[in-house]
Amino acid sequence: MATFLYRVGALAARRRLTFLSLSLTSVLVVLGLALSFPGSFESGSSIPGSPAQAALEKMDRHFPEDGGISGDVVFQAPLGAKITDDAVAQQIQATVERLQGAEKVVEVGDPSPEVSEDGRVAVTSLSLDVPAGEEVEPALQEAVRAAGADYNRQFEDAGGLVLFGGDAFEEEHAPFGPTEVIGIGVALLVMLITFGSMVAAGIPLLTAVLGVGGTVGATLLVANQFSVNQNALTLSIMLGLAVGIDYALLILSRHRGQLARGMSVAESVAMATATAGSAVVFAGLTVIIALSGLVVAGVPMLTSMGLASAGAVAVAVLLALTMLPALMALAGEKMRPKPNSRAARRELNSEARTWSVRWVSAVTRYPRTVVLAVVLGLGVVAVPAAQLELALNDNGSAAASSEPRKAYDLISDAFGPGANGPLAILVEGDSPAQIQTTAESVAAAVEQVPGVAGVSPVQMAPDEQAAMVGIIPETGPRDSETNALVAELRSTLEPISAQTGDYAAVTGLTAVSIDVNDKLNGALLPFTIVVVGLSLLLLMIAFRSWTIPLKATSGFLLSVAAAFGAMVAVFQWGWLAGPLGVPSEGPVASFVPIIIMAVLFGLAMDYEVFLVSAMREHYARHRDADAAIVAGGRSAGRVVVAAAAIMIAVFVSFLFSHDPNIMPIAFALGFGVLIDAFVVRLTLVPAVMKLLGERAWRLPRWLDRIVPNVDVEGHELTKNRPADREPELVS
C-alpha cells in the first residue's frame, strides 16, 4: 500500500494544478446539481413490515381522510373563562374556518368534544396535504399559524392563546449554524498552535470544508431517489469536518517533520502520503466499516444516517490522498519550518524530552498501577450507563420555550400525558357486521387493561372493510410503561383474533416508535459483533499482531462505557443540563447508542492507528519494544492531542445546536474522544504495551503466513524506493 500511495503522492505533487482543478470541479459540480435538484428529507422513523407500521399502512387505506401528516391545534380560554363561553366559542369557530381555508390543509376536526375538565382547554387535529414522514416547510407552518393570529390578539393579554403542535409543527434544526462556525474557529486555533503557521493551519481546514461540501451535495442528490433521514445530513457534516481536519493534520504533520529534516518538497509530499497516508486509509476504513455496519439494524432511518456519514469519511480520506498532496506541493517551501524554530528543533532533536515523552516515560514506569487506576476510574464513570433509558424523541423533547413543546405540555396537563401519544387498534374482517362485533369485543377487552386511560367508540371505515378503536394511555409516549402497555394490548388481541379469525393490531405513531425502539435494541449486539470483528481483522493486517487489536477493542469498550455513563448523568439525571442547554431530561433517542458506538469505535481506532503505527515504525527498524513506546509517544503524541482537541471542538459546537436528536450524540462523542485520546490511548496503551513487551509485535506462524503484509508504516518503502526517479515539482 505504501508504494502505491507514494506514487499517488508523487503524481499529485507533479500535477498539483491538475489535481486541484479536478477536486474543486468535482465538488462544485456536485453542489451545483444538488442546488438544482435538491431532494427532500424524511423526519419520521419506521420499519417497513413491522407490526405497527403494517397496521398503520392498512389504516391509511381504510381511512384516507386521516392520511398525510397531522398536527394538533390547542385552544386555551382566557383566565376566568371557558371554551364554551360565547366570545371564546365564536373565535374558535372563526379560527377553525380560517384553518379550513388555509393552504394544503385537508381537514380540521371539531374541538368541541375534546375539552378539559376545567373547561379551559380544547384540542383538535388538522391534516396537511404532505405525505406522512416528510418535512413540512417552515413557510407552510407559518401560513397555518397565521389562522390563529386573531384569537391570540383578542385573548393573549388575558391568558388565552392558540398553539400548534404535533408532527406537522415539529421544530426544524439547521444542520449547520453559528455555533458550528465557532467550532471551526477553535479547530483553526488548535492547528495554528500546533504548526505555528497560518498556511499549514489553513490547508486541513480547506480540504475538510470542501469534503463536507461535496458530501452535502451528494446527500441532497441521493435524497431524490432514496429515503434519507433529516438527521443524516447533520451527522455527516459533524463527522466529515472532524475526520477531514484530523486526517489532513496527520499527513501534514509528517510532511512538516520531513521538511525540517531537509527532505525536498516533492519527495516529502510523496513520503508523507505513503506513510501517514497509509495510516489514514486504515483509520478511515475502520470508521467506514463501523458506520456502514449500521445497515444490519434494518432501520431505514439508521441506514441513511450511517451511509451518509460513511460517505463523508470516504470523501475525507480521498481528499487527504489527492487534494492535500497537491496543496502541500503548491505551498512549497512555505511549509518548511524556519531554522532554529521550535518546530525545527523538535524534529531534529530525536532525544528531546518533550511533554509526550515525559508522560509516556512516567506511565511506563508503573504500568500495572496505571492500568488498574484507568480501568477502575473509567468503571466508576461508566456506572450510570446501567440506567440508560431509550425512546424516540417527540415534541416533549423540544426546548421548553418552543411552541410545539408548549402545546405538548398543555395537552399533557389538560388531558393527561397519554393524550400526546394515542394508540389505535385496527380491525379487519369478512363483513361489516362481523367487523363491528369484533371491534366492540376489542373495545370491551382493552378497557380492562391496566394503563388504559380511555377508549373511544368504534369507528367504521368509509369502505366498511375495517374499524378503528382509539386508546388513550395513562402514560406518555416516551414512558417505559407505555411500551409495556402496547405489549399487553397485543397479548389481549391474540385470543380475540384467534377466536373470530379477524385481523386486529395495535398501531399509531407511538406504537410504530416502540417497534423501532425494540428493533434498535435488538440490533445492538449483532452490530457490535460484525463491526468489532471486521475492524479487528483490519488492525491485525495493519500491525501484524493479535494482541494489539484485542487491546484496542478493550480500550474502546472502556471509552464507550464512560461516554454512555456521562450521557446518562447529563441527559437523564440532569447534571450540568442547565449550563449545557439540555431542553429536557429523560430517555435519549433510541438510535443514539448504536450511532455513538459506530462513530466512537472508528475514531478510537483512528487514534490507535496514529499512535501504534508510530511505535511499529520504530520497532520495525530497531527491534526495541520499550524504545518504540517512547518513540511512538514522541512522534504521535502531539498529533493525537491536536486531533482530539479539534474533534472535541467540532462535537461541542454541535452540542449547542439544541437539536434534541443530535445533542446527546455530540456530547457523548466529545466526551468519548476526550477519554479515549487522553486516558486510553496516551495513558492506558503505553502501559499495556510496556507489560506486553516484545509479545505485542508477534503473530503466530500460521497467521503470519496468511495475513497479507501491507506495510502501513512504509518501512519497506524507505529501504527500497520505487524505481521511478525522485519526484520533482513541475509547473
Side-chain angles (χ1 to χ4, degrees):
M1 178 184 290
T3 301
F4 170 74
L5 292 179
Y6 180 93
R7 297 181 188 279
V8 172
L11 180 62
R14 289 197 302 271
R15 304 298 179 192
R16 56 193 182 279
L17 294 181
T18 301
F19 270 62
L20 288 174
S21 299
L22 288 174
S23 300
L24 288 172
T25 301
S26 299
V27 172
L28 291 176
V29 167
V30 171
L31 282 174
L33 290 173
L35 292 175
S36 302
F37 309 101
S40 59
F41 296 101
E42 294 191 354
S43 58
S45 58
S46 62
I47 305 174
S50 67
Q53 181 64 29
L56 187 62
E57 291 170 359
K58 289 175 180 286
M59 191 163 68
D60 288 342
R61 290 196 297 268
H62 292 300
F63 296 87
E65 70 275 9
D66 295 332
I69 195 166
S70 62
D72 298 319
V73 185
V74 188
F75 295 94
Q76 179 171 272
L79 292 170
K82 293 187 177 182
I83 293 294
T84 53
D85 292 351
D86 289 342
V88 178
Q90 288 175 6
Q91 278 296 326
I92 290 176
Q93 183 60 36
T95 302
V96 169
E97 290 175 358
R98 284 192 293 272
L99 286 170
Q100 290 171 337
E103 180 186 5
K104 289 196 174 184
V105 173
V106 177
E107 183 183 17
V108 182
D110 180 7
S112 56
E114 301 293 336
V115 179
S116 61
E117 290 184 3
D118 63 3
R120 279 200 66 205
V121 179
V123 63
T124 188
S125 62
L126 59 80
S127 297
L128 297 178
D129 186 17
V130 177
E134 288 193 7
E135 293 180 343
V136 179
E137 295 293 332
L140 177 56
Q141 292 177 339
E142 290 305 314
V144 174
R145 285 191 177 103
D150 286 348
Y151 186 96
N152 285 329
R153 273 195 296 269
Q154 181 164 346
F155 296 125
E156 63 183 350
D157 291 340
L161 75 165
V162 57
L163 296 171
F164 295 85
D167 295 335
F169 297 94
E170 285 184 347
E171 282 193 317
E172 299 298 333
H173 296 270
F176 196 82
T179 57
E180 288 77 10
V181 174
I182 295 174
I184 292 178
V186 173
L188 180 61
L189 179 61
V190 170
M191 288 185 291
L192 189 58
I193 295 172
T194 302
F195 293 124
S197 163
M198 182 59 74
V199 174
I203 287 177
L205 192 60
L206 176 61
T207 57
V209 169
L210 285 174
V212 166
T215 301
V216 169
T219 305
L220 287 170
L221 288 174
V222 169
N224 273 303
Q225 300 295 326
F226 300 97
S227 170
V228 179
N229 186 266
Q230 61 185 0
N231 295 312
L233 190 59
T234 304
L235 187 63
S236 62
I237 291 174
M238 178 170 64
L239 195 56
L241 278 175
V243 300
I245 295 173
D246 275 9
Y247 293 164
L249 175 69
L250 179 65
I251 296 174
L252 196 60
S253 178
R254 174 64 70 101
H255 175 56
R256 292 255 297 172
Q258 292 169 166
L259 290 178
R261 292 190 292 273
M263 191 177 289
S264 69
V265 172
E267 175 67 4
S268 179
V269 169
M271 285 298 297
T273 306
T275 53
S278 295
V280 165
V281 169
F282 271 88
L285 277 176
T286 57
V287 184
I288 292 169
I289 287 173
L291 290 167
S292 300
L294 294 174
V295 174
V296 304
V299 180
M301 169 189 67
L302 205 59
T303 297
S304 65
M305 293 173 70
L307 293 181
S309 301
V313 176
V315 170
V317 172
L318 181 62
L319 291 182
L321 299 177
T322 55
M323 186 178 184
L324 178 63
L327 286 171
M328 293 191 300
L330 188 65
E333 293 294 332
K334 293 179 183 178
M335 300 290 292
R336 192 183 301 274
K338 295 180 180 179
N340 296 321
S341 66
R342 185 179 63 177
R345 292 195 303 270
R346 181 175 58 242
E347 296 297 338
L348 294 174
N349 185 4
S350 61
E351 302 299 323
R353 296 283 294 177
T354 62
W355 69 266
S356 57
V357 170
R358 291 194 295 271
W359 178 255
V360 169
S361 299
V363 165
T364 53
R365 192 174 298 125
Y366 307 102
R368 289 181 176 82
T369 303
V370 169
V371 170
L372 183 62
V374 168
V375 171
L376 289 178
L378 294 183
V380 171
V381 177
V383 167
Q387 298 187 28
L388 178 63
E389 297 178 3
L390 304 175
L392 287 180
N393 285 331
D394 56 16
N395 284 329
S397 312
S401 59
S402 67
E403 183 176 2
R405 173 66 180 276
K406 290 178 180 178
Y408 186 98
D409 291 342
L410 189 55
I411 291 173
S412 181
D413 293 340
F415 302 98
N420 280 303
L423 301 170
I425 295 178
L426 179 70
V427 177
E428 287 182 332
D430 296 330
S431 66
Q434 178 64 31
I435 293 171
Q436 180 73 31
T437 301
T438 302
E440 289 174 355
S441 299
V442 166
V446 300
E447 278 184 328
Q448 308 304 315
V449 175
V452 173
V455 178
S456 67
V458 174
Q459 180 183 353
M460 288 294 294
D463 60 9
E464 295 188 333
Q465 295 180 9
M468 179 177 65
V469 178
I471 300 172
I472 301 296
E474 292 180 351
T475 51
R478 301 176 70 217
D479 291 339
S480 58
E481 291 86 351
T482 306
N483 294 20
L485 173 62
V486 170
E488 182 64 26
L489 289 173
R490 285 171 172 164
S491 298
T492 302
L493 295 179
E494 286 179 4
I496 298 176
S497 294
Q499 182 179 357
T500 63
D502 292 339
Y503 172 87
V506 182
T507 187
L509 295 179
T510 299
V512 170
S513 297
I514 290 171
D515 284 351
V516 172
N517 192 47
D518 292 342
K519 180 75 171 180
L520 290 171
N521 288 340
L524 196 56
L525 181 59
F527 164 78
T528 303
I529 293 172
V530 169
V531 170
V532 170
L534 289 174
S535 298
L536 285 175
L537 180 61
L538 273 178
L539 289 174
M540 184 182 295
I541 294 172
F543 298 119
R544 305 191 66 75
S545 165
W546 65 273
T547 56
I548 287 176
L550 291 177
K551 168 189 62 64
T553 303
S554 300
F556 155 72
L557 293 175
L558 286 172
S559 299
V560 78
F564 282 175
M567 181 177 67
V568 170
V570 172
F571 290 88
Q572 288 182 206
W573 295 0
W575 295 7
L576 298 177
L580 293 177
V582 176
S584 64
E585 300 166 20
V588 298
S590 52
F591 59 82
V592 165
I594 198 168
I595 287 285
I596 291 172
M597 285 194 69
V599 176
L600 192 56
F601 186 86
L603 299 182
M605 295 306 103
D606 282 0
Y607 299 129
E608 183 76 10
V609 170
F610 294 171
L611 183 62
V612 178
S613 62
M615 296 180 185
R616 171 74 180 177
E617 184 176 357
H618 187 278
Y619 180 79
R621 291 190 174 94
H622 304 288
R623 297 293 168 179
D624 186 334
D626 289 346
I629 300 172
V630 177
R634 176 186 293 111
S635 176
R638 183 173 58 93
V639 177
V640 168
V641 169
I646 289 168
M647 281 206 176
I648 292 168
V650 172
F651 292 145
V652 168
S653 70
F654 280 84
L655 169 64
F656 292 105
S657 67
H658 301 299
D659 184 338
N661 286 320
I662 297 299
M663 287 184 70
I665 297 176
F667 173 81
L669 289 180
F671 186 85
V673 167
L674 176 69
I675 293 297
D676 195 84
F678 294 96
V679 180
V680 174
R681 306 303 155 189
L682 291 178
T683 305
L684 183 63
V685 166
V688 173
M689 295 292 286
K690 176 68 175 180
L691 293 175
L692 289 173
E694 298 286 340
R695 290 170 295 179
W697 308 109
R698 293 176 186 168
L699 196 64
R701 286 184 181 177
W702 65 273
L703 269 179
D704 188 59
R705 287 194 297 268
I706 62 177
V707 173
N709 188 352
V710 295
D711 188 27
V712 173
E713 304 83 17
H715 179 55
E716 296 299 324
L717 179 66
T718 57
K719 292 195 305 183
N720 184 21
R721 298 265 173 85
D724 298 351
R725 62 185 176 84
E726 181 173 309
E728 299 177 357
L729 295 180
V730 296
S731 301

